[in-house]
């Protein structure tokens, strides 16, 4: 059993603003069985007395068998009827969950119940044997199944309602989202006209839940705070280094034609200069904080402006220090607009443009155009017609599909002399162009997994063994002999999920599970040897045969049978995505005069496999994997979930199920047009209400 523990940590924010970050942790507390408040229900309360306690006896058996790892919203068995409660569930909720398991019981013949035969693998179970037949654990489970078989329908229905209520909508903790490095670069570009991309030199962002904008990990470590401070100083200096070349000051208080000046050092601002100062503070503050400034804020920044302008004798010096101060404020660095209309404008801008609102969006907020879902949709559709929408969608794809791994890939030069950083960038460009073509031409987005064409240049065409296009990145239709289609046939995916020398069926399989099916695979247990045996001249085995140890070892088998069989279907692609009919195994053997020489043996490739957990998912060639994914409801839902996580900076919760379900339905009804998916999300209650 576990209890939630809330910890509020106050830190001193930039510019002297106090930020309170709330963290929630799970404090595990062991409760002796004898002290558990959940006891077997006595007879006369809607059915027979339970022979054993589900909470004290049966539930711990399921936990020890690690059933929760698959039977959750993001598990491999997410599509089944069995979903475990949260680890923080109360004993009463766990007991209610135990009664809802009657849905998996055959009342006419309890021995045939799925609840017994699946975990014991008597009936084929994706997770293999989780409860050993003939053990005490199985006997306890059998006793519980017999009890459930005798329960009245009314008792089961009441438990189902009770359990559903316990997992109903809960409001996520309200935590502030910080600008991502991409959003920071784009914002200072549009705010100041600065194209230097200062955030590229900030401490790197971590990928959590597949993205870099997950709110629970967006703290303010000291190194990042220092980077923000240094960047603000440099950006402010550059903004006025040659005068107000970017028109940040909306007025000119001087009577001459030169640069605005305060006159001389120590002299207070004149009435005209003070009026221009306030106009600047209000205009720049609106854009920097993405909302109008309060009167208190206008006075505070006006005082700072006046002091510096008087001290230096330069009007623009006052503007510079205000810019520097605002760029360090949490109100700039975090999404904290406070005014609802401006909050929605900011959410729209950073979701659909990956940058700050423009003048038209600020006007829409001021005019009340963003107060209804219909109004938001009208504005959002016009935003998708603007160039910044492409940069925002590209950023989503770059994080979801981990383009950073492609660009950072390292390959053995002797085996893959053609692989260079330039070729890696071309691989990414190919994927971008395929996805952009589907998004902005309103194509069926699920075609990303089945497309019999791509956008290639001569280098990629040579790698794929297809005719060279006449120009750069032109549409090329694959011949039947190419054995290639969709994202899984592209070098960006195949290269980034392979090692420097050999392929990695496990890496390719886990990517498909987690990124394309939204099914979490647990990390390997501590101390487990994950190395695959090396081939030898005496026993040259293909990689598939060498990985047989994964399924022979019970500790490894339960997870690897979910990943490896998918990756085996992609073994005809080498570590840079080139097609091969056989696997070449190289090793050193003694040569003449004792000098070692290289020997190469070619072995046949078995490309058959399956996506365990999907119906009728066996395949014998790689293009079939893409077709299975495109037709899979799990993959279609995963596209929606990934965009949800990116849009809201968090994983979906039980309270988001209706929104996810509605959004998936809208995506499907639109024939999987990605722009309609974007629109469906901005109409969601979470977007309107700002959760988080």
């Amino acid at each position: 059993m576990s209890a939630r523990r809330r910890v509020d940590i106050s830190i001193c924010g930039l510019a002297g603003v106090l930020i309170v970050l709330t963290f929630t942790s799970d404090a595990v507390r062991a409760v002796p069985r004898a002290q558990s408040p959940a006891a077997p229900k006595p007879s006369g309360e809607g059915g027979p007395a339970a022979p054993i306690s589900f909470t004290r006896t049966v539930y711990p058996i399921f936990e020890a068998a690690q059933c929760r790892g698959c039977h959750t919203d993001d598990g491999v068995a997410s599509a089944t009827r069995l979903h475990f409660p949260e680890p923080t569930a109360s004993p009463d909720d766990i007991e209610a969950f135990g009664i809802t398991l009657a849905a998996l019981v055959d009342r006419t013949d309890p021995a045939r119940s799925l609840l017994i035969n699946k975990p014991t693998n008597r009936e084929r179970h994706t997770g293999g044997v989780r409860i050993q037949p003939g053990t005490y654990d199985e006997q306890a489970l059998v006793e519980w199944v017999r009890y459930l078989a005798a329960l009245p329908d009314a008792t089961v229905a009441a438990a189902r309602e009770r359990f559903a209520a316990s997992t109903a909508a809960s409001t996520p903790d309200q935590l502030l989202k910080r600008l991502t490095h991409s959003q920071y670069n784009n914002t200072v570009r549009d705010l100041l006209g600065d194209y230097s991309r200062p955030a590229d030199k900030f401490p790197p962002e971590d990928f959590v839940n597949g993205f870099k904008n997950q709110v629970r990990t967006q703290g303010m470590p000291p190194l990042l705070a220092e980077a923000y401070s240094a960047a603000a100083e440099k950006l402010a200096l550059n903004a006025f280094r040659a005068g107000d070349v970017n028109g940040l000051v909306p007025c000119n208080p001087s009577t001459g034609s030169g640069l605005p000046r305060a006159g001389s050092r120590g002299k207070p601002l004149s009435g005209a200069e003070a009026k221009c100062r306030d106009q600047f503070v209000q205009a720049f503050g609106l854009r920097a904080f993405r909302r109008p400034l309060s009167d208190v804020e206008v006075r505070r920044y006006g005082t700072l402006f006046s002091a510096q302008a008087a001290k230096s004798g330069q009007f623009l010096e006052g503007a510079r220090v205000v810019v520097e101060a605002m760029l360090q404020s949490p109100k700039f660095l975090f999404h904290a607009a406070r005014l609802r209309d401006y909050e929605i404008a900011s959410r729209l801008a950073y979701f659909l443009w990956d940058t700050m609102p423009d003048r038209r969006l600020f006007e829409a907020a001021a005019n009340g155009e963003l107060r209804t879902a219909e109004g938001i949709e009208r504005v959002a559709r016009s935003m998708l017609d603007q160039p910044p929408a492409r940069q925002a969608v590209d950023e989503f794809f770059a994080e979801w599909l981990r383009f950073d791994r492609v660009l950072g890939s390292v390959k053995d030069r002797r085996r893959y002399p053609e692989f260079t950083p330039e070729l890696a960038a071309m691989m990414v460009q190919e994927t971008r162009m395929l996805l952009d073509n589907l998004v902005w031409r309103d194509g069926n987005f699920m075609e990303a997994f089945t497309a019999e064409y791509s956008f290639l240049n001569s280098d990629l065409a040579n790698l794929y063994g297809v005719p060279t296009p006449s120009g750069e990145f032109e549409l090329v239709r694959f011949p039947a002999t190419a054995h290639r289609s969709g994202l899984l046939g592209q070098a960006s995916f195949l290269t980034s999920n392979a090692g420097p020398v050999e392929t990695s069926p496990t890496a390719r399989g886990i990517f498909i599970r987690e990124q394309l099916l939204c099914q979490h695979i647990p990390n390997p247990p501590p101390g487990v040897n994950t190395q695959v045996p090396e081939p030898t001249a005496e026993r040259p085995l293909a990689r598939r045969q060498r990985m047989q140890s994964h399924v022979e070892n019970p500790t490894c088998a339960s997870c690897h049978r979910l990943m490896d069989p998918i990756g085996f279907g992609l073994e005809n692609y080498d570590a840079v995505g080139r097609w091969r009919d056989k696997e070449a195994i190289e090793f050193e053997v003694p040569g003449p005069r004792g000098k070692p020489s290289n020997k190469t043996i070619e072995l046949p490739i078995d490309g058959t496999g399956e996506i365990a957990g999907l119906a009728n998912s066996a395949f014998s060639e790689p293009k079939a994997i893409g077709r299975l994914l495109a037709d899979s409801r799990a993959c279609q839902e995963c596209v929606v979930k990934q965009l949800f996580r990116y849009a809201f900076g968090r994983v979906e919760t039980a309270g988001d199920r209706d929104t996810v379900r509605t959004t998936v339905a809208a995506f499907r009804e639109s024939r999987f047009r990605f722009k309609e998916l974007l629109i469906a999300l901005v109409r969601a209650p979470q977007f309107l209400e700002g959760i988080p």
Side-chain angles (χ1 to χ4, degrees), residues 69-385:
C70 291
H71 289 276
T72 58
D73 285 346
D74 63 349
V76 172
S78 58
T80 67
R81 290 176 290 173
L82 177 57
H83 280 215
F84 275 72
E86 294 295 324
T88 56
S90 69
D92 287 343
D93 293 339
I94 293 173
E95 200 72 24
F97 164 70
I99 296 175
T100 67
L101 297 180
L104 303 174
V105 171
D106 186 331
R107 295 194 174 214
T108 60
D109 185 359
R112 298 176 57 188
S113 298
L114 292 176
L115 191 56
I116 296 174
N117 294 323
K118 278 286 189 176
T120 57
N121 206 30
R122 289 190 178 93
E123 185 167 329
R124 190 174 184 275
H125 183 221
T126 300
V129 177
R130 310 308 298 173
I131 296 176
Q132 290 293 336
T135 61
Y136 165 80
D137 289 350
E138 187 199 18
Q139 184 56 41
L141 182 57
V142 168
E143 288 293 319
W144 186 253
V145 166
R146 289 173 180 166
Y147 165 68
L148 294 179
L151 281 180
D153 290 341
T155 301
V156 176
R160 189 176 294 117
E161 290 181 7
R162 198 160 64 245
F163 182 61
S166 72
T167 59
S170 59
T171 303
D173 293 337
Q174 298 293 300
L175 303 176
L176 292 180
K177 290 176 65 178
R178 177 170 44 77
L179 294 179
T180 65
H181 291 359
S182 171
Q183 291 171 347
Y184 186 98
N185 283 333
N186 294 336
T187 299
V188 298
R189 177 199 65 202
D190 297 338
L191 180 65
L192 302 170
D194 191 297
Y195 288 77
S196 62
R197 299 185 61 83
D200 290 353
K201 299 178 182 178
F202 291 173
E205 297 168 300
D206 294 326
F207 280 85
V208 178
N209 300 326
F211 298 102
K212 296 188 286 188
N213 66 348
Q214 302 299 280
V215 65
R216 287 195 174 277
T217 63
Q218 287 192 317
M220 185 63 71
L223 284 178
L224 183 59
E226 292 176 9
Y228 280 143
S229 179
E233 181 180 2
K234 186 174 181 179
L235 288 166
L237 281 170
N238 290 340
F240 298 105
R241 189 179 298 278
D244 186 23
V245 294
N246 290 308
L248 299 180
V249 180
C251 48
N252 189 339
S254 66
T255 56
S257 58
L259 294 175
R261 288 181 174 273
S264 60
R265 289 191 179 129
K267 180 180 178 181
L269 298 182
S270 67
E273 289 170 332
K275 182 178 179 181
C276 185
R277 172 204 64 196
D278 291 345
Q279 289 180 21
F280 164 74
V281 169
Q282 290 172 329
F284 187 80
L286 168 66
R287 299 175 65 230
F289 292 173
R290 281 88 69 182
R291 60 161 175 81
L293 269 62
S294 67
D295 292 341
V296 172
E297 289 170 325
V298 171
R299 287 195 296 271
R300 181 190 309 144
Y301 286 106
T303 300
L304 177 65
F305 185 115
S306 297
Q308 183 65 18
K311 177 181 177 181
S312 64
Q314 297 288 330
F315 186 89
L316 290 186
E317 266 296 288
R320 181 190 65 77
V321 296
V322 168
V323 169
E324 182 178 341
M326 286 187 176
L327 292 183
Q328 295 183 76
S329 170
K331 297 165 189 176
F332 169 76
L333 297 170
F334 289 83
H335 298 284
R338 291 192 302 182
L339 302 176
R340 185 177 186 276
D341 292 330
Y342 289 91
E343 284 181 5
I344 293 176
S346 185
R347 283 198 291 274
L348 279 172
Y350 283 104
F351 177 41
L352 298 180
W353 284 350
D354 203 40
T355 188
M356 60 177 285
D358 66 355
R359 180 184 58 81
R360 174 68 188 89
L361 198 49
F362 280 129
E363 290 175 354
N367 296 334
E369 298 177 35
L370 305 177
R371 293 176 183 172
T372 65
E374 292 73 22
I376 291 176
E377 179 176 340
R378 281 195 301 273
V379 172
R381 289 192 182 278
S382 68
M383 293 175 67
L384 290 176
D385 292 333

Side-chain angles (χ1 to χ4, degrees), residues 100 157 249 277 292 300 368 420 498 529 565 588 606 616 627 640 671:
T100 67
V249 180
R277 172 204 64 196
R300 181 190 309 144
T420 62
N529 182 8
E588 289 186 351
D606 179 2
N616 304 314
R627 292 193 295 269
V640 173
R671 296 186 178 180

